[in-house]
């Protein structure tokens, strides 16, 4: 560590004002603060500072994503070998999934961080850590066979149009990871929806067992199937859906892994439990309402089942809680989360074009979050004004 | 009466040049956005639309400018609309007679030229107060400015969304074999808004005067 410190101190004068590489100052700073705690102190006024800065907050979210990521890698292999009809061991499945998922992660980080660095240099800003989380979320919401150039394009779109045009990390209206997914969803629908994309190798015409179908549970429900089966015709149990041994985007299938991550986020105080809870409550409420009417497979699906299939849990825990795009007021968080849950199920059930509604529900509520906050602040101001008048 | 101004005086040329850059009707005044979103999926309809708007705009500008001293101020909007609407009907008939396919593609948007804010805006702001020749130059300039943005937007939308330009395939088949795919989002209207936004972004980062102070 000391050698590293000495090396950094040696090259530091080059990037200071007047140095040869001054234009790389924010890059240098980015790496320096990544490796060492910055030694800048506040010089005027009294401040109370928490050691919990953005870097630590972001790293906590990345850590919380690890269970979903590891499970996703294993599940990629599991689904693949199931379709092939080949017996494979645990490590074999995991290794297959790792080789599939790792390149997507690398592409997402390299593209996104590259753009962030360029913008930081141009604007003379510090490099923000916001992309550390987005860069991990993007691969987890992609289907496993997505072409890498599409990942790069979507990441670039999300970072530039979703974030940098608004002024960078903390100024964005929409969740960048979901912007990336929505971009691909509308730009290349054949690669982002359907029955053939969720299991690695299916699209390339891999030799599968007879009668294999790669349809997700929601895909089957949209076809009005009452009973959900896996690729080789075995019935899915609720336990399968909860554990996540079902086809889907890389990181979204296992509700268990997501819950572990969610509890971790609540424990370290990064994710808002209010939002998570109210998203589930909203989804359950809408599900119950639809159950009361019934009519087709999606409406008849038990309300609790809605919460453990598709991207619902993933969106609720990692996407809806994004501190930048969510509401800021405590009461606003309840409304925001509840409406996400309601809308997600609503889109899922009533719009046959979109078998999964979580992405669109969160993006829509991202847009409405500032409005919710505005009215809650206004209401509070009115309430306090009234109280002041009564006393006077 | 003062000395006769030459036809292409610096002042008149400025009327043509300004709308192409610092007072562009779409990117700076943000007028005529609806048609810019609707008919820029392909290059050909965009060019035809530009020509139609140019024809409507120049003729009605000159007509209004000639009538400017006779139009009672209280009913001037109605008079303007009558002139524009008759021009639009003429253009529509010509298109249906000589460019039926494109006219089908443009569908209702030819008729909607009547409501194009750029035309009304220029008639109100310029033609009503200026002589016919400068009005003609001003209309021409604004139509160029409008068309420029339309053509840039539709160029990118057709190239990336359909892989063609003017209906001819330009993205080679070998790209598609490598896994390249047309971007479906480019064909949808939201992307037109984003492309216009990017043009505005580029324009303002080059010309800092256009950035609003607040």
């Amino acid at each position: 560590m000391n050698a590293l410190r000495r090396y950094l101190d040696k090259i530091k004068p080059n990037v200071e004002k007047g140095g040869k590489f001054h234009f790389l100052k924010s890059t240098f700073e980015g790496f320096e603060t990544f490796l060492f705690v910055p030694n800048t102190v506040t010089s005027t006024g009294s401040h109370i500072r928490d050691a919990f800065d953005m870097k630590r907050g972001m790293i906590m979210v990345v850590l919380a994503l690890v269970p979903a990521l590891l499970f996703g890698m294993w599940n990629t292999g599991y689904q693949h070998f199931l379709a092939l009809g080949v017996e494979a061991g645990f490590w074999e499945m995991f290794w297959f999934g790792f080789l599939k998922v790792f390149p997507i992660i690398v592409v997402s980080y390299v593209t996104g961080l590259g753009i962030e660095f360029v913008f930081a240099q141009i604007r003379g800003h510090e490099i923000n850590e916001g992309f550390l989380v987005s860069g991990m979320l993007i691969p987890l919401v992609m289907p496993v066979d997505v072409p890498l150039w599409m990942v790069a394009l979507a990441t670039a779109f999300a970072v530039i149009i979703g974030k940098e045009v608004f002024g960078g990390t903390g100024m964005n209206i929409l969740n960048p990871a979901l912007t990336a997914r929505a971009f691909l969803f509308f730009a290349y629908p054949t690669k982002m929806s359907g029955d053939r994309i969720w299991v690695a190798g299916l699209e390339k015409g891999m030799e599968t067992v007879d009668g294999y179908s790669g349809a997700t549970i929601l895909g089957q429900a949209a076809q009005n199937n009452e009973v959900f089966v896996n690729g080789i015709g075995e019935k899915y149990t609720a336990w399968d859906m909860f554990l996540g041994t079902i086809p889907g985007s890389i990181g979204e299938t296992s509700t268990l892994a997501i819950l572990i991550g969610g509890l971790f986020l609540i424990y370290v105080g990064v994710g808002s439990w209010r939002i998570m809870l109210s998203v589930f409550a909203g989804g359950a409420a809408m599900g119950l309402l639809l159950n009361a009417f019934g009519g087709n497979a999606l409406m008849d699906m038990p309300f609790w089942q809605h919460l453990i299939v598709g991207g619902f849990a993933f969106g609720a825990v990692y996407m809806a809680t994004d501190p930048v795009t969510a509401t800021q007021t405590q009461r606003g968080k309840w409304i925001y989360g509840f409406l996400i849950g309601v809308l997600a199920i609503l889109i899922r059930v009533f719009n046959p074009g979109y078998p999964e509604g979580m992405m669109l529900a969160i993006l829509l509520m991202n847009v409405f979050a500032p409005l919710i906050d505005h009215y809650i602040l206004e209401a509070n101001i009115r309430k306090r004004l009234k109280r002041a008048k009564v006393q006077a | 009466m003062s000395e006769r101004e030459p036809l292409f005086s610096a002042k008149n040329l400025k009327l043509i040049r300004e709308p192409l850059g610092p007072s562009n009707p779409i990117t700076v005044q943000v007028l005529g956005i609806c048609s810019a979103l609707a008919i820029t999926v392909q290059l050909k309809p965009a060019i035809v639309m530009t020509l139609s708007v140019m024809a409507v705009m120049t003729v009605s500008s000159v007509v209004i400018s000639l009538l400017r001293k006779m139009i009672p101020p209280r009913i001037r909007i109605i008079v303007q609309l009558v002139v524009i609407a008759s021009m639009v009907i003429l253009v529509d008939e010509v298109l249906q007679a000589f460019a039926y396919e494109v006219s089908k593609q443009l569908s209702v948007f030819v008729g909607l030229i009547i409501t194009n804010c750029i035309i009304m805006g220029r008639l109100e702001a310029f033609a009503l107060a200026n002589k016919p020749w400068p009005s003609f130059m001003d209309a021409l300039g604004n139509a160029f400015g409008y068309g420029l943005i339309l053509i840039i937007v539709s160029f990118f939308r057709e190239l990336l969304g359909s892989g063609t330009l003017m209906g001819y395939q330009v993205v080679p088949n070998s790209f598609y074999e490598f896994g390249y795919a047309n971007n479906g989002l480019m064909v949808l209207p939201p992307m037109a808004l984003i492309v216009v936004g990017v043009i505005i972004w580029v324009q303002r980062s080059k010309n800092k005067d256009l950035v609003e102070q607040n």
Side-chain angles (χ1 to χ4, degrees):
Chain A
M1 259 349 220
N2 272 332
L4 201 57
R5 181 72 260 178
R6 274 200 297 278
Y7 175 70
L8 283 178
D9 285 337
K10 203 181 97 193
I11 62 172
K12 198 168 189 171
N14 286 328
V15 297
E16 292 299 332
K17 222 177 170 104
K20 240 186 308 182
F21 298 106
H22 179 56
F23 65 96
L24 286 175
K25 183 165 174 17
S26 55
T27 309
F28 176 80
E29 254 176 9
F31 280 108
E32 191 192 15
T33 55
F34 197 79
L35 296 165
F36 294 96
V37 175
N39 57 1
T40 44
V41 286
T42 313
S43 51
T44 53
S46 54
H47 292 260
I48 300 175
R49 281 190 186 232
D50 197 336
F52 195 92
D53 59 358
M54 192 148 79
K55 258 179 192 140
R56 244 179 65 205
M58 293 295 173
I59 281 298
M60 289 299 162
V61 185
V62 174
L63 282 181
L65 281 167
V66 167
L69 173 69
L70 293 181
F71 184 88
M73 286 178 174
W74 174 80
N75 192 40
T76 301
Y78 173 77
Q79 296 296 339
H80 176 76
F81 288 115
L82 188 74
L84 234 58
V86 175
E87 290 284 321
F90 173 83
W91 287 110
E92 207 175 334
M93 293 176 183
F94 184 81
W95 182 241
F96 177 85
F98 177 81
L99 288 183
K100 278 275 171 192
V101 176
F102 191 66
I104 304 180
I105 300 177
V106 171
V107 167
S108 147
Y109 269 119
V110 168
T111 321
L113 286 177
I115 294 170
E116 291 260 1
F117 271 64
V118 169
F119 269 93
Q121 310 305 348
I122 293 174
R123 295 185 169 162
H125 286 182
E126 284 175 42
I127 289 160
N128 266 313
E129 296 81 7
F131 192 75
L132 287 180
V133 172
S134 308
M136 186 56 95
L137 282 172
I138 290 171
L140 291 184
V141 293
M142 295 287 165
V144 65
D145 260 351
V146 64
L148 293 177
W149 67 268
M150 285 188 191
V151 179
L153 189 68
T155 310
F157 180 85
V159 174
I160 297 175
I161 303 292
K163 209 159 93 172
E164 290 302 338
V165 289
F166 294 106
T169 306
M171 313 290 277
N172 46 313
I173 296 170
L174 301 171
N175 183 314
L178 279 181
T179 311
R181 192 178 199 282
F183 175 79
L184 285 191
F185 185 82
F186 288 106
Y188 307 104
T190 54
K191 298 279 180 192
M192 293 298 286
S193 51
D195 291 349
R196 315 278 308 162
I197 55 154
W198 305 109
V199 177
L202 268 196
E203 244 212 327
K204 297 195 180 80
M206 164 187 87
E207 198 78 13
T208 58
V209 280
D210 283 342
Y212 182 85
S213 147
T216 59
I217 291 177
L218 285 172
Q220 296 176 28
Q223 301 287 325
N224 222 354
N225 296 356
E226 293 287 345
V227 180
F228 308 124
V229 293
N230 68 8
I232 51 174
E234 291 164 3
K235 197 164 172 282
Y236 281 126
T237 60
W239 193 239
D240 289 331
M241 301 177 195
F242 182 71
L243 278 184
T245 54
I246 50 177
S249 295
I250 293 166
E252 61 155 32
T253 57
S254 172
T255 313
L256 178 68
I258 292 163
L259 281 186
I260 295 173
L263 289 177
F264 177 76
L265 281 181
I266 295 172
Y267 174 72
V268 297
V270 174
S272 157
W273 61 270
R274 287 181 181 85
I275 293 180
M276 293 185 203
L277 199 66
S278 56
V279 174
F280 281 109
M286 194 65 209
L288 272 174
L289 190 70
L290 293 173
N291 285 167
F293 289 102
N296 61 27
L298 271 166
M299 288 170 90
D300 277 333
M301 190 189 241
F303 74 94
W304 50 268
Q305 209 166 314
H306 265 302
L307 308 184
I308 54 175
V309 299
F312 193 90
F314 192 86
V317 169
Y318 299 114
M319 302 288 201
T321 55
D322 173 5
V324 177
T325 54
T327 43
Q328 309 295 320
T329 52
Q330 306 292 33
R331 218 183 315 160
K333 284 179 181 166
W334 289 108
I335 302 172
Y336 165 83
F338 191 82
L339 285 177
I340 287 180
V342 168
L343 284 170
I345 304 298
L346 204 66
I347 297 170
R348 211 183 247 189
V349 173
F350 288 114
N351 197 331
Y354 310 120
E356 176 55 297
M358 200 58 187
M359 170 181 83
L360 297 170
I362 296 176
L363 286 175
L364 190 65
M365 288 316 293
N366 279 171
V367 175
F368 279 105
L371 190 72
I372 298 174
D373 275 341
H374 172 78
Y375 280 109
I376 285 188
L377 287 182
E378 289 287 306
N380 201 35
I381 291 169
R382 263 204 308 279
K383 203 174 79 192
R384 297 187 66 148
L385 271 178
K386 225 174 177 175
R387 203 161 56 201
K389 268 184 204 141
V390 169
Q391 279 171 358
Chain B
M1 202 174 146
S2 63
E3 202 183 328
R4 224 182 135 76
E5 201 180 337
L7 280 187
F8 293 99
S9 67
K11 210 172 90 201
N12 283 344
L13 281 178
K14 205 175 153 211
L15 289 175
I16 285 206
R17 228 178 323 110
E18 288 266 287
L20 290 178
S23 67
N24 189 285
I26 293 187
T27 61
V28 180
Q29 302 173 32
V30 199
L31 296 173
I33 287 289
C34 345
S35 55
L37 304 191
I39 45 89
T40 50
V41 177
Q42 284 170 337
L43 202 49
K44 209 158 141 195
I47 292 174
V48 173
M49 185 71 176
T50 306
L51 294 177
S52 313
V53 168
M54 196 177 284
V56 173
M57 208 156 149
T58 46
V59 175
S60 35
S61 260
V62 171
V63 171
I64 290 292
S65 176
L66 286 170
L67 294 174
R68 70 185 186 279
K69 286 181 183 145
M70 281 178 270
I71 301 173
R74 286 176 68 183
I75 58 159
R76 65 184 195 284
I77 304 267
I78 298 173
V79 176
Q80 289 164 15
L81 274 180
V82 169
V83 174
I84 300 172
S86 1
M87 266 317 290
V88 168
I89 291 168
L90 273 178
V91 166
D92 196 18
E93 296 291 322
V94 170
L95 281 185
Q96 281 184 23
F98 296 103
Y100 187 66
E101 283 305 309
V102 184
S103 148
K104 285 281 266 191
Q105 260 179 309
L106 287 171
S107 67
V108 68
F109 289 99
V110 179
L112 283 179
I113 296 177
I114 299 174
T115 59
N116 192 322
C117 340
I118 302 173
I119 303 182
M120 279 287 276
R122 290 331 289 174
L123 292 190
E124 271 285 291
F126 201 91
L128 267 181
N130 285 283
K131 288 180 184 164
W133 178 248
S135 299
F136 173 79
M137 296 290 266
D138 179 71
L140 202 62
N142 276 285
F144 273 133
Y146 172 77
L148 180 71
I149 302 300
L150 242 58
I151 287 166
I152 296 176
V153 173
S154 58
F155 173 81
F156 285 111
R157 284 185 76 192
E158 187 175 357
L159 181 65
L160 300 174
S162 321
T164 57
L165 280 180
M166 300 291 287
Y168 298 103
Q169 187 178 342
V170 286
V171 175
N173 277 326
S174 53
F175 274 42
Y176 291 105
E177 279 156 25
F178 266 114
Y180 175 81
N182 287 328
N183 190 323
L185 196 58
M186 274 290 171
V187 182
L188 301 174
M191 207 57 190
L193 201 62
I194 292 175
V195 176
V196 172
V198 171
I199 296 174
I200 293 178
W201 187 16
V202 172
Q203 194 188 10
R204 291 189 180 204
S205 51
K206 284 195 167 172
N207 188 348
K208 297 278 184 219
D209 297 341
L210 295 175
V211 181
E212 291 93 347
Q213 303 295 325
N214 54 1

